[in-house]
PDB file of all heavy atoms in Angstrom:
ATOM      1  N   ARG A 260     192.929 147.206 104.801  1.00 91.00           N
ATOM      2  CA  ARG A 260     192.809 148.642 105.316  1.00 91.00           C
ATOM      3  C   ARG A 260     194.173 149.230 105.282  1.00 91.00           C
ATOM      4  O   ARG A 260     194.293 150.407 104.861  1.00 91.00           O
ATOM      5  CB  ARG A 260     192.038 148.675 106.618  1.00 91.00           C
ATOM      6  CG  ARG A 260     191.531 149.960 106.915  1.00 91.00           C
ATOM      7  CD  ARG A 260     190.605 149.889 108.055  1.00 91.00           C
ATOM      8  NE  ARG A 260     191.180 149.515 109.250  1.00 91.00           N
ATOM      9  CZ  ARG A 260     190.669 148.883 110.306  1.00 91.00           C
ATOM     10  NH1 ARG A 260     189.420 148.526 110.244  1.00 91.00           N
ATOM     11  NH2 ARG A 260     191.389 148.582 111.430  1.00 91.00           N
ATOM     12  N   ARG A 261     195.095 148.583 105.885  1.00 91.00           N
ATOM     13  CA  ARG A 261     196.491 149.067 105.886  1.00 91.00           C
ATOM     14  C   ARG A 261     196.998 149.353 104.495  1.00 91.00           C
ATOM     15  O   ARG A 261     197.616 150.318 104.242  1.00 91.00           O
ATOM     16  CB  ARG A 261     197.405 148.027 106.640  1.00 91.00           C
ATOM     17  CG  ARG A 261     197.207 147.893 108.149  1.00 91.00           C
ATOM     18  CD  ARG A 261     198.052 148.962 108.904  1.00 91.00           C
ATOM     19  NE  ARG A 261     197.510 149.167 110.228  1.00 91.00           N
ATOM     20  CZ  ARG A 261     197.805 148.329 111.191  1.00 91.00           C
ATOM     21  NH1 ARG A 261     198.533 147.311 111.113  1.00 91.00           N
ATOM     22  NH2 ARG A 261     197.175 148.566 112.388  1.00 91.00           N
ATOM     23  N   LEU A 262     196.845 148.402 103.625  1.00 92.00           N
ATOM     24  CA  LEU A 262     197.328 148.469 102.214  1.00 92.00           C
ATOM     25  C   LEU A 262     196.764 149.683 101.600  1.00 92.00           C
ATOM     26  O   LEU A 262     197.468 150.457 100.940  1.00 92.00           O
ATOM     27  CB  LEU A 262     196.884 147.263 101.539  1.00 92.00           C
ATOM     28  CG  LEU A 262     197.415 147.090 100.056  1.00 92.00           C
ATOM     29  CD1 LEU A 262     198.901 146.738 100.145  1.00 92.00           C
ATOM     30  CD2 LEU A 262     196.655 146.041  99.226  1.00 92.00           C
ATOM     31  N   SER A 263     195.479 149.883 101.812  1.00 90.00           N
ATOM     32  CA  SER A 263     194.820 151.068 101.154  1.00 90.00           C
ATOM     33  C   SER A 263     195.512 152.321 101.696  1.00 90.00           C
ATOM     34  O   SER A 263     195.703 153.229 100.831  1.00 90.00           O
ATOM     35  CB  SER A 263     193.318 151.027 101.466  1.00 90.00           C
ATOM     36  OG  SER A 263     192.722 152.149 100.906  1.00 90.00           O
ATOM     37  N   ARG A 264     195.713 152.437 102.898  1.00 88.00           N
ATOM     38  CA  ARG A 264     196.346 153.631 103.478  1.00 88.00           C
ATOM     39  C   ARG A 264     197.774 153.824 102.834  1.00 88.00           C
ATOM     40  O   ARG A 264     198.172 154.951 102.644  1.00 88.00           O
ATOM     41  CB  ARG A 264     196.367 153.631 104.931  1.00 88.00           C
ATOM     42  CG  ARG A 264     195.187 154.315 105.563  1.00 88.00           C
ATOM     43  CD  ARG A 264     195.430 154.660 107.017  1.00 88.00           C
ATOM     44  NE  ARG A 264     194.316 154.319 107.766  1.00 88.00           N
ATOM     45  CZ  ARG A 264     194.296 153.883 108.982  1.00 88.00           C
ATOM     46  NH1 ARG A 264     195.482 153.774 109.625  1.00 88.00           N
ATOM     47  NH2 ARG A 264     193.207 153.650 109.610  1.00 88.00           N
ATOM     48  N   ARG A 265     198.470 152.705 102.816  1.00 89.00           N
ATOM     49  CA  ARG A 265     199.837 152.708 102.375  1.00 89.00           C
ATOM     50  C   ARG A 265     199.930 153.208 100.920  1.00 89.00           C
ATOM     51  O   ARG A 265     200.716 154.024 100.530  1.00 89.00           O
ATOM     52  CB  ARG A 265     200.520 151.388 102.545  1.00 89.00           C
ATOM     53  CG  ARG A 265     201.811 151.222 101.888  1.00 89.00           C
ATOM     54  CD  ARG A 265     202.944 151.950 102.573  1.00 89.00           C
ATOM     55  NE  ARG A 265     203.242 151.450 103.922  1.00 89.00           N
ATOM     56  CZ  ARG A 265     203.896 150.383 104.166  1.00 89.00           C
ATOM     57  NH1 ARG A 265     204.402 149.621 103.203  1.00 89.00           N
ATOM     58  NH2 ARG A 265     204.135 149.957 105.433  1.00 89.00           N
ATOM     59  N   LEU A 266     199.027 152.594 100.091  1.00 90.00           N
ATOM     60  CA  LEU A 266     199.118 152.736  98.636  1.00 90.00           C
ATOM     61  C   LEU A 266     198.560 154.061  98.063  1.00 90.00           C
ATOM     62  O   LEU A 266     198.963 154.709  97.182  1.00 90.00           O
ATOM     63  CB  LEU A 266     198.405 151.659  97.879  1.00 90.00           C
ATOM     64  CG  LEU A 266     199.099 150.311  97.994  1.00 90.00           C
ATOM     65  CD1 LEU A 266     198.249 149.209  97.137  1.00 90.00           C
ATOM     66  CD2 LEU A 266     200.422 150.311  97.453  1.00 90.00           C
ATOM     67  N   PHE A 267     197.576 154.564  98.900  1.00 89.00           N
ATOM     68  CA  PHE A 267     196.781 155.726  98.366  1.00 89.00           C
ATOM     69  C   PHE A 267     196.887 156.858  99.476  1.00 89.00           C
ATOM     70  O   PHE A 267     195.775 157.103 100.079  1.00 89.00           O
ATOM     71  CB  PHE A 267     195.427 155.357  97.986  1.00 89.00           C
ATOM     72  CG  PHE A 267     195.290 154.184  97.239  1.00 89.00           C
ATOM     73  CD1 PHE A 267     194.675 152.987  97.669  1.00 89.00           C
ATOM     74  CD2 PHE A 267     195.806 154.125  95.852  1.00 89.00           C
ATOM     75  CE1 PHE A 267     194.662 151.886  96.892  1.00 89.00           C
ATOM     76  CE2 PHE A 267     195.719 153.004  95.170  1.00 89.00           C
ATOM     77  CZ  PHE A 267     195.178 151.790  95.622  1.00 89.00           C
ATOM     78  N   PRO A 268     198.016 157.403  99.638  1.00 84.00           N
ATOM     79  CA  PRO A 268     198.206 158.462 100.669  1.00 84.00           C
ATOM     80  C   PRO A 268     197.181 159.643 100.435  1.00 84.00           C
ATOM     81  O   PRO A 268     196.869 160.309 101.333  1.00 84.00           O
ATOM     82  CB  PRO A 268     199.626 158.821 100.669  1.00 84.00           C
ATOM     83  CG  PRO A 268     200.139 158.431  99.242  1.00 84.00           C
ATOM     84  CD  PRO A 268     199.212 157.265  98.995  1.00 84.00           C
ATOM     85  N   TRP A 269     196.888 159.905  99.155  1.00 84.00           N
ATOM     86  CA  TRP A 269     196.171 161.100  98.804  1.00 84.00           C
ATOM     87  C   TRP A 269     194.689 160.964  99.327  1.00 84.00           C
ATOM     88  O   TRP A 269     193.991 161.976  99.446  1.00 84.00           O
ATOM     89  CB  TRP A 269     196.135 161.319  97.371  1.00 84.00           C
ATOM     90  CG  TRP A 269     195.726 160.256  96.518  1.00 84.00           C
ATOM     91  CD1 TRP A 269     196.615 159.139  96.044  1.00 84.00           C
ATOM     92  CD2 TRP A 269     194.442 159.829  96.061  1.00 84.00           C
ATOM     93  NE1 TRP A 269     195.909 158.210  95.372  1.00 84.00           N
ATOM     94  CE2 TRP A 269     194.577 158.601  95.388  1.00 84.00           C
ATOM     95  CE3 TRP A 269     193.221 160.374  96.195  1.00 84.00           C
ATOM     96  CZ2 TRP A 269     193.468 157.984  94.811  1.00 84.00           C
ATOM     97  CZ3 TRP A 269     192.095 159.739  95.568  1.00 84.00           C
ATOM     98  CH2 TRP A 269     192.326 158.602  94.846  1.00 84.00           C
ATOM     99  N   THR A 270     194.231 159.704  99.658  1.00 81.00           N
ATOM    100  CA  THR A 270     192.886 159.711 100.192  1.00 81.00           C
ATOM    101  C   THR A 270     192.753 160.169 101.570  1.00 81.00           C
ATOM    102  O   THR A 270     191.687 160.364 102.109  1.00 81.00           O
ATOM    103  CB  THR A 270     192.326 158.175 100.081  1.00 81.00           C
ATOM    104  OG1 THR A 270     193.209 157.368 100.774  1.00 81.00           O
ATOM    105  CG2 THR A 270     192.109 157.767  98.650  1.00 81.00           C
ATOM    106  N   GLU A 271     193.967 160.150 102.285  1.00 65.00           N
ATOM    107  CA  GLU A 271     193.994 160.413 103.691  1.00 65.00           C
ATOM    108  C   GLU A 271     193.269 161.665 104.072  1.00 65.00           C
ATOM    109  O   GLU A 271     192.344 161.601 104.936  1.00 65.00           O
ATOM    110  CB  GLU A 271     195.437 160.570 104.088  1.00 65.00           C
ATOM    111  CG  GLU A 271     196.227 159.316 104.389  1.00 65.00           C
ATOM    112  CD  GLU A 271     195.662 158.648 105.637  1.00 65.00           C
ATOM    113  OE1 GLU A 271     196.125 159.004 106.650  1.00 65.00           O
ATOM    114  OE2 GLU A 271     194.855 157.715 105.476  1.00 65.00           O
ATOM    115  N   THR A 272     193.561 162.776 103.428  1.00 52.00           N
ATOM    116  CA  THR A 272     193.093 164.056 103.873  1.00 52.00           C
ATOM    117  C   THR A 272     191.588 164.317 103.270  1.00 52.00           C
ATOM    118  O   THR A 272     190.998 165.252 103.631  1.00 52.00           O
ATOM    119  CB  THR A 272     193.943 165.265 103.365  1.00 52.00           C
ATOM    120  OG1 THR A 272     194.839 164.764 102.389  1.00 52.00           O
ATOM    121  CG2 THR A 272     194.818 165.665 104.578  1.00 52.00           C
ATOM    122  N   GLY A 273     191.182 163.481 102.406  1.00 43.00           N
ATOM    123  CA  GLY A 273     189.822 163.538 101.839  1.00 43.00           C
ATOM    124  C   GLY A 273     189.736 164.841 100.988  1.00 43.00           C
ATOM    125  O   GLY A 273     190.473 165.786 101.101  1.00 43.00           O
ATOM    126  N   LEU A 274     188.876 164.748  99.949  1.00 39.00           N
ATOM    127  CA  LEU A 274     188.671 166.023  99.100  1.00 39.00           C
ATOM    128  C   LEU A 274     187.271 166.185  98.794  1.00 39.00           C
ATOM    129  O   LEU A 274     186.641 165.194  98.341  1.00 39.00           O
ATOM    130  CB  LEU A 274     189.498 165.743  97.837  1.00 39.00           C
ATOM    131  CG  LEU A 274     189.608 167.048  97.073  1.00 39.00           C
ATOM    132  CD1 LEU A 274     190.624 167.983  97.657  1.00 39.00           C
ATOM    133  CD2 LEU A 274     190.017 166.761  95.611  1.00 39.00           C
TER     134      LEU A 274
END
Side-chain angles (χ1 to χ4, degrees):
Chain A
R260 202 165 64 207
R261 290 270 160 83
L262 185 73
S263 179
R264 265 199 225 147
R265 168 73 68 77
L266 290 181
F267 313 112
W269 52 272
T270 53
E271 279 290 277
T272 22
L274 190 77

